[in-house]
């Protein structure tokens, strides 16, 4: 979400989901909501029934792509070229929103020069999309009264992920499609609490609430509240900790509820790093690939076993409530406190609501949130004070950047970190399916779901399948420079010729053995969406 | 008074409503209950069951509340003698070919037809009807369909087509044999169904039920705990249904701000992992190549000692923490605080930023 933060001020979706049915033009980019976000898709379907126009940017022929007014079936990794191309068309035809640009943005002149370089011939070549389609998409988006960009992991899970998000902001700013109801940019995230986890601070450069560790005032505020001196040295990103571990320079990690040994692309390196640590503690509800490397495994509590809050993709802070006792007697919040006490730092709370009160006192965007209020109200941050109703539409008058203006960013097409080659002629796009979730540790333990989707499938276009003499249901080997796995083939038009699709929900077909080590240099988000592979029977 | 307000009277009480209101939506604003069977707020008004009929301005014919828009000056009466009589006969007709088998029905206590029969004092004896004898269909992992209990309200068909747009079910067959069914009566499978269970959530009778929860307890035995889904970032709310310390079912929260009672297959049916026997139930400490069970105190004391030793020997910049987008806000905050106050570094990150 660093992309939106740079352009607009906050790394979060600009509107609320409930506004979606009133959209005039939906620009759905790199997201397959009928599979990955089914309930969001219901809102979009409602908009479509009310006559909304639909532009879909996706290399796969998804449910939405089939119903789109314009389907931009762009090559994986060509998002920036696509966005610059659309901006080019809009500027050439004078469709931009001049008053919005003048009053609420900065950096437009530089952006204009950059967009001018992306003429259609160039963009057609880079993206593989037809000229007419690009023009029609630009017109539909620019013309709309209420236009919403909805993007998913197909945008962020690239080495240019942050820039991709900035490129979408550019487009919205160009047309002034931001800061009004049903008009803005919605990012659909993968994990349930990725928004809350970003908001509340397990990040190396910021304290909770995106407050920089380099600011003395911020450090003092937290230091006073926590009765310690906060280090002014920016911490290491997870990637950096792991890299240093491989070289024996990083020694001990506490991993709370994550499974990098399965879900990180380039799992080889991660495993090597975990093996090299002196001491690894992993807390999780199930044994995972990662717990295999742990010196101490601590049992976690599921969401049904504890009180707390999650913040969803539209900034809505919502309660989870304890329905049954934690299987091992303690929930994570209690364990962290206890460990802190053992290490000499007193950390004591009677209930997670007290943690929320502390959050409210230190994190301005959560300032007005409390468990009491959440009993009767539903709140989207920013909610700075106890009488603030929360914010459904952001940036109605100013942007959250210094000076209150949004910023156009100058961006260049870079392409994916790895492209198809003679030896590895196909591009692997990874993603999610509706029935399973992430490393599958939860959904694989739901018998009914396993009955429906028992194993990994590699989706391959009929034309490619024919060339390779593969039929539906064949077991095939999929390999990249980094490794090889087996999976059953599913021959389907959903994959474009030249692309194949897999998930990473199954332990026995570890898709991430194949995926590349390229990461977004700004956020460290891995490039799950494009790597070169070959398939053999 | 603005142009957009319409003033009506309902059971003698003045009610202000908007242009888009129907008599039914206006009644909800006024806190007056009008019974319905074929209506669900998630669906377009249908006007099929005739239960919501009300008297308007003493007119000749009663009108369906769900499809009649309000008009200035309307005087509406929702519980007149005549209206009650019509409702009674509607219910009696439905019961005439209903199995009337409430004592062992999965939906007892959670069935609108049952509630209305009670409220309007109707039993199945008024009309002699032919009973439908189609077999129970549960040839899929999640959804049981008992055609004999179906009152053809069409809610399942409409929610599947109007809201989910999956097109899985439609009214098949003719006349007496009409049922909401899949094309060619094929079992529900991923080829034709999303297993979102929206159809189950809207069914006002025991015709559609959650297969996994059958026999696991009645509505009144369940402790319902409102919570937020732990799968994706949409943030759907639902109620965990708990009986004897076990989550046995998920039911819809119709007033949920994000999802209004709708869920996907993971949220509605993906709860088995909670009570999986593969859960880690006790702290484990690695000794040699084996993991030895430990108490919380032993394990945490050991962790504290090892981390402290590393910090002493190699410095605080060699330790850190990864947190998870799966954990709660409070846990993320605490881990962030832990690393800063206990390890005294900023080496804390969210390892999967997806
Ligand atoms: S589960 Fe969902 S998709 Fe399947 S029939 Fe019911 S409403 Fe339709
Ligand atoms: S199955 Fe239930 S929802 Fe569907 S038509 Fe019959 S009674 Fe109505
Ligand atoms: S029910 Fe489905 S769509 Fe809703 S939050 Fe859960 S996983 Fe996401």
């Amino acid at each position: 979400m660093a992309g939106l933060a740079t352009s607009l001020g906050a790394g979060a979706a600009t509107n609320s989901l409930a506004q979606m049915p009133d959209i005039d033009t939906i620009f759905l980019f790199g997201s397959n909501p009928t599979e990955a976000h089914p309930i969001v898709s219901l809102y979009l379907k409602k908009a479509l029934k009310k006559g909304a126009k639909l532009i879909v940017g996706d290399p796969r022929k998804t449910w939405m792509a089939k119903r789109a007014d314009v389907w931009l079936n762009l090559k994986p990794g060509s998002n920036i070229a696509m966005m610059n191309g659309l901006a080019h068309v809009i500027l050439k035809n004078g469709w931009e929103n001049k008053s919005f640009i003048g009053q609420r943005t900065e950096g437009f002149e530089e952006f204009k020069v950059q967009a001018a370089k992306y003429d259609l011939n160039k963009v057609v070549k880079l993206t593989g999309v037809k000229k007419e389609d690009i023009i029609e998409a630009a017109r539909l988006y620019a013309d709309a009264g209420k236009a919403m960009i909805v993007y998913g992991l197909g945008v962020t899970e690239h080495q240019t992920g942050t820039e991709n998000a900035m490129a979408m902001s550019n487009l919205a700013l160009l047309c002034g499609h931001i800061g009004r109801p049903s008009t803005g940019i919605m990012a659909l995230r993968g994990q349930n609490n990725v928004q809350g986890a970003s908001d509340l601070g397990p990040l190396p450069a910021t304290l909770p609430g995106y407050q920089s560790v380099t600011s003395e005032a911020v450090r003092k505020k937290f230091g006073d509240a926590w009765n310690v001196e906060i280090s002014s040295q920016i911490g290491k990103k997870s990637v950096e900790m792991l890299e240093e571990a491989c070289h024996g320079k990083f020694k001990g990690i506490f991993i709370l509820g994550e499974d990098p040994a399965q879900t990180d692309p380039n799992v080889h390196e991660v495993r090597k790093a975990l093996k090299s640590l002196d001491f690894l503690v992993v807390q999780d509800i199930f044994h995972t690939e990662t717990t295999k490397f742990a010196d101490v495994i601590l049992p976690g509590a599921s969401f049904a076993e504890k009180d707390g809050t999650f913040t969803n993709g539209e900034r809505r802070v919502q309660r989870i409530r304890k329905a049954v006792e934690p299987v091992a007697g303690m929930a994570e919040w209690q364990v962290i406190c206890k460990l802190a006490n053992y290490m000499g730092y007193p950390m004591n709370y009677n209930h997670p609501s007290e943690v929320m009160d502390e959050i409210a006192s230190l994190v301005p965007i959560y300032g007005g949130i409390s468990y009491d209020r959440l009993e009767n109200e539903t709140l989207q941050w920013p909610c700075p004070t106890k009488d603030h109703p929360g914010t459904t539409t952001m940036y109605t008058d100013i942007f959250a950047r210094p000076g209150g203006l949004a910023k156009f960013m100058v961006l260049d097409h870079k392409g994916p970190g790895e492209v198809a080659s003679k030896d590895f002629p196909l591009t692997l796009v990874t993603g999610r399916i509706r029935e399973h979730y992430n490393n599958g540790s939860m959904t694989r333990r739901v018998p009914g779901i396993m009955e429906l989707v028992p194993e990994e499938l590699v989706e391959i276009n009929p034309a490619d399948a024919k060339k390779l003499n593969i039929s539906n249901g064949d077991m095939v080997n999929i390999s990249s420079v980094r490794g090889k796995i087996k999976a059953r083939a599913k021959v389907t038009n959903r994959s474009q010729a030249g692309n194949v699709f897999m998930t990473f929900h199954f332990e026995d077909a570890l898709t991430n053995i194949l995926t590349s080590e390229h990461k977004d240099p700004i956020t460290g988000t891995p490039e799950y969406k494009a790597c070169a592979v070959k398939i053999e029977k | 008074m603005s142009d957009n307000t319409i003033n009506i009277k309902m059971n003698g009480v003045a009610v202000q409503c908007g242009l888009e209101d129907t008599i039914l939506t206006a009644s909800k604003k006024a806190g007056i209950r009008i019974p319905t069977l074929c209506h669900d707020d998630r669906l377009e008004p249908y006007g099929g069951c005739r239960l919501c009929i009300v008297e308007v301005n003493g007119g000749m014919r009663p009108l369906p509340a769900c499809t009649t828009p309000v008009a200035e000056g309307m005087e509406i009466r929702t519980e007149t003698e005549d209206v009650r009589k019509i409702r009674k006969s509607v219910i009696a007709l439905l019961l005439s070919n209903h199995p009337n088998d409430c004592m062992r029905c999965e939906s007892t206590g959670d069935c609108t037809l049952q509630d209305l029969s009670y409220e309007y004092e109707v039993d199945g004896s008024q009309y002699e009807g032919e009973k439908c004898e189609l077999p129970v269909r549960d040839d899929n992992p999640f959804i049981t369909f008992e055609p004999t209990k179906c009152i053809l309200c069409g809610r399942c068909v409409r929610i599947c087509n109007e809201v989910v747009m999956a097109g899985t079910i439609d009214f098949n067959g003719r006349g007496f044999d009409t049922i909401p069914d899949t094309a060619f009566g094929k079992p529900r499978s991923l080829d034709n169904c999303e297993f979102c269970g929206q159809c189950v959530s809207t069914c006002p009778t025991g015709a559609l039920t959650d297969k996994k929860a059958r026999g696991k307890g009645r509505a009144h035995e369940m402790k319902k705990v409102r919570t937020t889904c732990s799968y994706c970032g949409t943030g759907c709310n639902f109620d965990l249904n708990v009986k004897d310390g076990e989550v046995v079912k998920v039911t819809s929260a119709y007033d949920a701000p994000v999802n209004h009672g709708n869920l996907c297959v993971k949220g509605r049916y993906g709860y088995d992992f909670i009570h999986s026997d593969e859960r880690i139930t006790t702290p484990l400490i690695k000794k040699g190549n084996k993991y030895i069970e430990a108490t919380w105190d032993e394990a945490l004391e050991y962790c504290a000692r090892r981390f402290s030793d590393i910090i002493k020997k190699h410095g605080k910049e060699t330790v850190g923490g990864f947190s998870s987008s799966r954990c709660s806000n409070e846990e993320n905050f605490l881990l962030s605080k832990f690393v800063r106050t206990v390890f005294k570094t900023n080496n804390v990150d969210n390892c999967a930023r997806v």
Side-chain angles (χ1 to χ4, degrees):
Chain A
M1 299 303 272
L4 293 188
T6 312
S7 301
L8 310 175
T14 58
N15 295 63
S16 69
L17 292 168
Q19 298 173 355
M20 284 184 165
D22 296 324
I23 306 172
D24 297 331
T25 293
I26 305 166
F27 191 168
L28 187 67
F29 208 88
S31 160
N32 185 10
T34 51
E35 294 286 330
H37 297 91
I39 296 301
V40 175
S41 84
L42 299 190
Y43 278 116
L44 295 174
K45 287 169 181 173
K46 218 173 192 173
L48 292 180
K49 287 188 73 169
K50 286 175 70 177
K53 297 280 184 235
L54 176 64
I55 309 163
V56 172
D58 205 304
R60 294 175 73 214
K61 191 164 193 173
T62 58
W63 191 97
M64 289 286 174
K66 283 186 204 152
R67 286 155 184 84
D69 294 279
V70 186
W71 175 33
L72 308 170
N73 55 340
L74 71 174
K75 293 181 195 161
S78 64
N79 297 351
I80 291 177
M82 187 76 245
M83 290 297 135
N84 282 353
L86 290 168
H88 183 95
V89 174
I90 288 169
L91 284 165
K92 204 169 132 194
N93 290 288
W95 295 337
E96 73 274 24
N97 185 334
K98 295 187 184 72
S99 66
F100 184 92
I101 295 169
Q103 285 159 24
R104 302 202 51 192
T105 69
E106 60 191 22
F108 175 65
E109 289 310 319
E110 295 86 332
F111 173 72
K112 199 169 156 185
V113 172
Q114 178 74 351
K117 295 183 200 152
Y118 281 77
D119 62 80
L120 281 189
N121 291 332
K122 175 172 173 174
V123 175
V124 166
K125 215 158 92 209
L126 293 173
T127 61
V129 178
K130 285 202 299 263
K131 211 179 233 178
E132 310 83 79
D133 288 346
I134 302 174
I135 296 173
E136 179 61 3
R139 193 187 62 81
L140 280 179
Y141 181 74
D143 257 9
K146 294 175 181 172
M148 180 99 79
I149 296 175
V150 181
Y151 75 81
L153 299 171
V155 166
T156 36
E157 281 178 3
H158 281 285
Q159 63 169 353
T160 53
T162 302
E163 296 193 339
N164 286 345
M166 294 174 186
M168 322 219 67
S169 302
N170 283 344
L171 196 67
L173 295 175
L174 190 62
C175 299
H177 286 331
I178 201 156
R180 283 173 285 131
S182 308
T183 309
I185 306 178
M186 301 296 282
L188 304 179
R189 324 285 302 264
Q191 292 174 306
N192 62 315
N193 199 31
V194 59
Q195 185 70 53
S198 313
D199 296 344
L200 293 171
L203 296 169
T206 54
L207 285 150
Y210 307 101
Q211 304 178 76
S212 174
V213 298
T214 55
S215 151
E216 208 183 314
V218 167
R219 286 200 310 275
K220 182 167 168 7
K221 175 168 90 169
F222 280 89
D224 288 351
W226 291 348
N227 206 14
V228 289
E229 193 165 323
I230 306 282
S231 165
S232 59
Q233 183 180 340
I234 289 180
K236 299 179 180 85
K237 292 183 198 152
S238 54
V239 203
E240 293 164 344
M241 293 187 237
L242 292 171
E243 253 164 37
E244 291 194 5
C246 282
H247 302 120
K249 286 192 284 189
F250 208 80
K251 305 288 183 186
I253 301 184
F254 184 166
I255 299 184
L256 185 64
E258 277 295 349
D259 186 13
Q262 179 171 347
T263 58
D264 199 279
N266 209 1
V267 288
H268 284 313
E269 283 298 306
V270 171
R271 290 170 181 200
K272 200 173 128 200
L274 296 176
K275 225 180 277 172
S276 319
L277 289 168
D278 280 2
F279 188 57
L280 175 66
V281 182
V282 181
Q283 183 166 25
D284 210 324
I285 59 176
F286 290 112
H287 291 285
T288 63
E289 290 300 311
T290 305
T291 59
K292 290 180 184 162
F293 299 90
D295 297 284
V296 175
I297 301 172
L298 301 173
S302 79
F303 80 116
E305 293 153 31
K306 58 197 174 194
D307 288 307
T309 57
F310 291 151
T311 303
N312 78 351
E314 45 157 15
R315 302 170 273 106
R316 194 183 299 280
V317 183
Q318 304 192 99
R319 280 295 311 278
I320 54 168
R321 293 184 179 83
K322 183 166 152 185
V324 294
E325 288 300 320
V327 276
M330 279 213 281
E332 284 80 345
W333 64 274
Q334 294 164 303
V335 175
I336 299 169
C337 290
K338 199 158 187 174
L339 183 57
N341 283 312
Y342 270 124
M343 294 188 71
Y345 180 84
M347 198 187 274
N348 300 299
Y349 303 90
N350 297 309
H351 189 263
S353 65
E354 297 174 9
V355 182
M356 181 51 84
D357 293 339
E358 185 171 322
I359 293 172
S361 72
L362 289 167
V363 175
I365 52 176
Y366 280 69
I369 294 175
S370 68
Y371 279 29
D372 279 349
R373 282 190 79 182
L374 293 180
E375 281 308 304
N376 317 306
E377 284 175 276
T378 171
L379 297 169
Q380 288 173 270
W381 68 253
C383 176
T385 57
K386 295 283 176 221
D387 51 8
H388 191 286
T391 306
T392 51
T393 308
M394 290 180 83
Y395 315 129
T396 49
D397 44 11
I398 55 164
F399 287 93
R401 294 181 66 254
L405 299 178
K407 186 160 171 54
F408 279 100
M409 303 298 294
V410 172
L411 306 166
D412 240 327
H413 168 80
K414 294 191 188 76
E418 188 171 289
V419 287
S421 61
K422 199 159 131 273
D423 292 341
F424 299 99
L426 297 164
T427 302
L428 171 69
V429 178
T430 70
R432 293 168 163 75
I433 54 169
R434 182 168 50 225
E435 293 75 21
H436 281 285
Y437 180 76
N438 255 41
N439 68 355
S441 71
M442 287 161 28
T443 44
R444 280 185 286 107
R445 287 167 176 104
V446 179
I449 287 180
M450 285 309 274
E451 194 180 321
L452 295 175
V453 189
E455 59 183 353
E456 181 69 67
L457 294 171
V458 48
E459 290 186 2
I460 176 165
N461 180 278
D464 292 327
K466 202 165 154 212
K467 247 188 278 168
L468 296 163
N469 196 18
I470 289 168
S471 344
N472 211 11
D474 283 356
M475 276 312 272
V476 295
N477 289 314
I478 307 113
S479 43
S480 75
V481 208
R482 289 158 294 269
K484 178 152 125 183
I485 63 171
K486 266 186 189 323
R488 207 173 286 286
K490 179 173 172 185
V491 179
T492 163
N493 271 321
R494 286 212 300 199
S495 265
Q496 289 272 89
N499 293 345
V500 294
F501 174 84
M502 294 178 77
T503 76
F504 50 88
H505 302 310
F506 296 88
E507 270 177 326
D508 47 359
L510 269 180
T511 309
N512 290 337
I513 286 184
L514 305 173
T515 45
S516 83
E517 71 282 8
H518 296 281
K519 294 194 189 218
D520 183 321
I522 302 163
T523 59
T525 302
E527 179 151 79
Y528 289 109
K529 293 297 179 193
C531 82
V533 296
K534 73 174 168 209
I535 294 191
E536 298 152 313
K537 249 219 282 219
Chain B
M1 186 178 52
S2 96
D3 288 339
N4 294 333
T5 1
I6 290 180
N7 293 288
I8 61 168
K9 269 193 173 159
M10 203 174 279
N11 299 343
V13 181
V15 184
Q16 279 203 342
C17 32
L19 289 173
E20 67 304 331
D21 273 318
T22 61
I23 297 179
L24 184 66
T25 56
S27 75
K28 288 187 179 168
K29 285 183 188 165
I32 293 170
R33 181 176 151 273
I34 298 175
T36 57
L37 266 173
C38 74
H39 179 82
D40 182 319
D41 285 341
R42 294 172 285 179
L43 299 171
E44 299 294 328
Y46 187 58
C49 74
R50 312 289 304 164
L51 219 73
C52 68
I53 45 144
V54 292
E55 272 180 29
V56 178
N57 296 6
M60 292 287 288
R61 269 183 336 126
L63 296 172
C66 67
T67 50
T68 310
V70 291
E72 186 64 34
M74 259 187 182
E75 290 190 21
I76 298 153
R77 293 199 296 157
T78 66
E79 286 287 332
T80 63
E81 207 40 51
D82 283 354
V83 157
R84 280 190 69 91
K85 225 190 253 158
I86 298 172
R87 287 187 193 143
K88 268 181 186 249
S89 67
V90 169
I91 299 164
L93 264 173
L94 289 174
L95 293 184
S96 72
N97 64 358
H98 201 77
N100 298 348
D101 174 24
C102 297
M103 38 297 236
R104 48 179 288 263
C105 178
E106 182 60 29
S107 293
T108 270
D110 187 19
C111 169
T112 317
L113 185 62
Q114 194 185 48
D115 294 345
L116 290 170
S117 309
Y118 182 84
E119 183 183 349
Y120 286 86
E121 300 174 307
V122 189
D123 60 27
S125 65
Q126 259 116 321
Y127 303 97
E128 221 12 74
E130 199 185 332
K131 307 274 176 190
C132 154
E133 277 173 10
L134 293 168
V136 173
R137 295 274 306 273
D138 61 355
D139 38 14
N140 71 77
F142 298 123
I143 297 170
T144 302
F145 177 43
E146 299 177 65
T148 54
K149 293 176 180 168
C150 174
I151 57 168
L152 301 179
C153 68
R155 279 163 70 163
C156 56
V157 169
R158 284 179 289 134
I159 207 157
C160 185
N161 291 282
E162 259 178 60
V163 176
V164 187
M165 288 172 83
T168 312
I169 42 177
D170 203 345
F171 280 125
N172 286 358
R174 274 161 188 268
F176 190 72
D177 285 330
T178 303
I179 50 163
D181 201 358
T182 54
F184 311 110
K186 277 200 189 148
R188 278 179 173 82
S189 75
L190 277 191
D191 293 333
N192 60 17
C193 173
E194 301 193 356
F195 293 104
C196 62
Q198 253 68 276
C199 49
V200 179
S201 75
T202 194
C203 181
T205 71
L208 284 167
T209 48
D210 293 320
K211 180 176 170 183
K212 289 197 293 184
R214 285 174 68 91
K216 296 252 170 96
R218 295 235 185 259
H220 75 269
E221 299 171 288
M222 304 286 180
K223 181 175 86 174
K224 288 197 178 195
V225 182
R226 178 67 51 93
T227 196
T228 304
C229 182
S230 72
Y231 281 111
C232 89
T234 306
C236 298
N237 293 165
F238 51 70
D239 289 336
L240 292 170
N241 287 224
V242 183
K243 194 189 160 204
D244 302 331
E246 193 190 338
V247 175
V248 295
K249 174 165 151 161
V250 160
T251 49
S252 284
Y254 300 99
D255 56 349
V258 175
N259 56 308
H260 310 288
N262 296 320
L263 293 169
C264 80
V265 59
K266 296 189 291 295
R268 195 182 298 281
Y269 297 123
Y271 53 83
D272 307 56
F273 76 91
I274 299 169
H275 301 293
S276 159
D277 15 318
E278 289 167 4
R279 287 283 301 272
I280 304 171
T281 55
T282 174
L284 299 165
I285 299 176
K286 193 170 182 178
K287 298 242 165 80
N289 276 330
K290 281 234 273 301
Y291 283 103
I292 312 291
E293 293 193 355
T295 63
W296 278 111
D297 283 316
E298 285 161 2
L300 293 177
E301 217 172 347
Y302 177 67
C303 292
R305 197 170 68 238
R306 293 289 307 269
F307 278 126
S308 303
D309 286 350
I310 293 174
I311 293 169
K312 221 176 282 160
K313 211 156 126 205
H314 304 283
K316 64 189 174 72
E317 290 305 326
T318 64
V319 289
F322 290 6
S323 159
S324 163
S325 305
R326 319 250 327 98
C327 288
S328 72
N329 287 334
E330 292 74 7
E331 289 158 357
N332 273 294
F333 177 85
L334 287 182
L335 187 82
S336 177
K337 178 172 176 178
F338 174 87
V339 170
R340 266 113 185 184
T341 56
V342 178
F343 290 171
K344 298 197 171 61
T345 81
N346 288 310
N347 296 334
V348 59
D349 201 2
N350 198 339
C351 77
R353 293 169 198 242
V354 288

